[in-house]
Amino acid sequence: MPGAYTGDEAAAYAAKQCRVDVVAAYPITPQTIIVERFSDYVADGEVDTKYLYAESEHSAMSACVGASLAGARVFTATASQGLALMHEVLYLASGLRCPIVMAVVNRALSAPINIHGDHSDMMGSRDCGWIQLYAENAQETYDLIVQAFKIAEEETVQLPVTVNLDGFTVSHATESMKVLSDEDVDKFLPPRKPIFKVDPETPITVGAMALPEYYYEVKRQQEEAIQKSKGVVKMVGDEYGKFTGRRYGFMETFGLEDADAAIMCLGSTCGTVRSVAKDLRAKGKKVGLIKLWTYRPFPTEEFLSTIKDLKALAVMDRAISFGAPYGALCSDVSSALQNTGMDIKVMNMIYGLGGRDTPPSTVREVFDEALRTAKTGRVKERIRFLDVRE
Amino acid sequence: MKLSWRKTPIAGIIFEPGSSAEYRTGDWRIEKKPIINQDKCIRCLICWIICPDVSINRLQKPYGKYEETIEVDYYHCKGCGICSAECPVKAIEMVEESRVVA
Ligand code: SF4
Ligand code: SF4
């Protein structure tokens, strides 16, 4: 069914159709519309969901963990400072293997205070053990949330998932998109079958202490689960593709069959990159795009086979990893390339902090630089800060 | 028995209730252990209620006019001394570990 939705509305609508049992949330720009719409559904009796108005994001995520352990399908949403406030509890959600789904409407972190889009919030919680998906637009936000529940709740996975969408660019822009019927979502996503739950009839101990003798084993097992979840991400993406005609997986590429130079990035900027790449290809330039849907687990093998014929890759990071050699995405790319013997010149472009616009002209510059590097085999600047006033 | 990471229960969950009894925290006791004087004890059960380690046992073993014997579970007692401080008839003495002849 076609319709017009903002990214936030698409997220709320997806959660509604996924028949979530519990939503515990605290509003924060630019996520507020998600929980606002959802509380409309609750007030209008359109859903059976138990809605908890928490007094902070820390409490919201804590309530989500409790509800998920009790066997509920749980959804929440946050952004920026809210995600930062949840940080501690994010590790509980993954460590206790709670298949919660959360929309993160990416926004810059203070200071200075800024409400606009960048990825410093999610990158700040990058190692929290959640599966992390990135949507380019409202359609993908909707599609990824529906898939996220299926991935999270799969028996072998049992891990929480964030679906990231860029603040304002995606969250507040209205797009025409397609949604499934309620019946189709029910067919795709049956009710959650928890593999364990907190239940007074059969008592279990959750969240017990594990000292040096056991902590490491529990964490090693968790790492295995997220690495193995790659198979499930792929399977669910294929199945969703058969169901809707919109296939998902780890990444979407454009022009990679014969590209010399490519840009890799996350989220809404991929739209600009694709459109610039199309223009350049029409002029005979061999450029391409790698858009990652699945940032965690990082699809190392699939990524390497995708880029094997590239000469130069510009990795765009919408967050600074302060004091590090590269931004987070570029660090992943270069460590994936380590010891492969592949000679691909990598350069890192930091862009769009605090909602700074990244127009097609900037993307064109990046492609020019990447093409030049592909030709000369020399990286002029290993890291560049795009569109910052010098 | 120490399990491999593959066999460790998911999320470190403990599926068997009451299994903490297997962990003998009595090893943690330093200096002093409580000794109950059965003749002084009036079976009020205050120690039984307040022991933070649930280490006071009520045994169905008659003693004098009482049907129960109140005993300390030394496998789990951590020697905090709360029972001794709270006993209304001073029936529990904290005795230095080295001076107790078992
Ligand atoms: S010393 Fe402390 S732990 Fe031991 S029995 Fe008394 S109250 Fe319980
Ligand atoms: S508190 Fe004292 S009197 Fe009461 S049951 Fe314990 S040892 Fe006996």
Side-chain angles (χ1 to χ4, degrees), chain A residues 29-51:
Chain A
T29 301
Q31 167 277 117
T32 307
I33 300 166
I34 301 180
V35 292
E36 213 172 79
R37 283 292 171 280
F38 205 90
S39 48
D40 287 345
Y41 299 143
V42 176
D44 296 343
E46 289 183 49
V47 288
D48 294 329
T49 312
K50 172 91 189 147
Y51 192 106

Side-chain angles (χ1 to χ4, degrees), chain A residues 48-61:
Chain A
D48 294 329
T49 312
K50 172 91 189 147
Y51 192 106
L52 265 116
Y53 302 89
E55 78 273 30
S56 74
E57 283 84 355
H58 189 280
S59 307
M61 185 44 65

Side-chain angles (χ1 to χ4, degrees), chain A residues 95-97 158 195-196 203-208 211 213-214 216-218 220-221 224, chain B residues 1-19 23 28:
Chain A
L96 294 175
R97 310 293 295 275
Q158 305 290 317
I195 63 164
F196 64 84
I204 57 171
T205 303
V206 173
L211 295 176
E213 285 173 324
Y214 266 105
Y216 196 175
E217 276 70 25
V218 174
R220 174 68 186 87
Q221 193 183 64
E224 186 77 356
Chain B
M1 184 193 44
K2 302 219 173 111
L3 300 170
S4 85
W5 66 264
R6 289 171 207 279
K7 297 255 169 68
T8 298
I10 186 166
I13 287 170
I14 300 161
F15 288 96
E16 187 195 335
S19 63
Y23 195 38
W28 302 8

Side-chain angles (χ1 to χ4, degrees), chain A residues 2 25-26 38 46 53 86 98 100 111-112 155 176 205 217 227 234 242 244 298 301 303 309 315 379 382:
Chain A
Y26 188 85
F38 205 90
E46 289 183 49
Y53 302 89
M86 280 180 184
C98 298
I100 298 164
E155 196 182 336
S176 115
T205 303
E217 276 70 25
Q227 292 289 357
K234 191 174 178 332
K242 276 188 207 123
T244 61
F298 192 84
E301 275 72 40
F303 166 71
D309 300 323
V315 184
V379 177
R382 45 182 282 122

Side-chain angles (χ1 to χ4, degrees), chain B residues 67-82:
Chain B
E67 280 169 20
E68 292 184 328
T69 305
I70 308 299
E71 271 192 4
V72 178
D73 165 7
Y74 293 113
Y75 286 124
H76 298 96
C77 160
K78 290 185 198 146
C80 68
I82 295 175

Side-chain angles (χ1 to χ4, degrees), chain A residues 294-305:
Chain A
T294 313
Y295 177 63
R296 285 290 181 268
F298 192 84
T300 312
E301 275 72 40
E302 298 75 9
F303 166 71
L304 291 173
S305 66

Side-chain angles (χ1 to χ4, degrees), chain A residues 11 18 21 46 69 76 86 98 118 170 180 205 217 219 254 258 264 269 296 316 318 325 334 342-343 348 353 385 387:
Chain A
C18 291
D21 301 304
E46 289 183 49
L69 288 171
T76 187
M86 280 180 184
C98 298
D118 76 27
V170 177
L180 298 169
T205 303
E217 276 70 25
K219 290 289 138 183
F254 172 77
D258 64 348
M264 178 173 188
T269 311
R296 285 290 181 268
M316 292 180 61
R318 206 174 177 184
S334 33
M342 290 161 85
D343 186 25
N348 193 194
L353 298 194
F385 296 85
D387 291 321

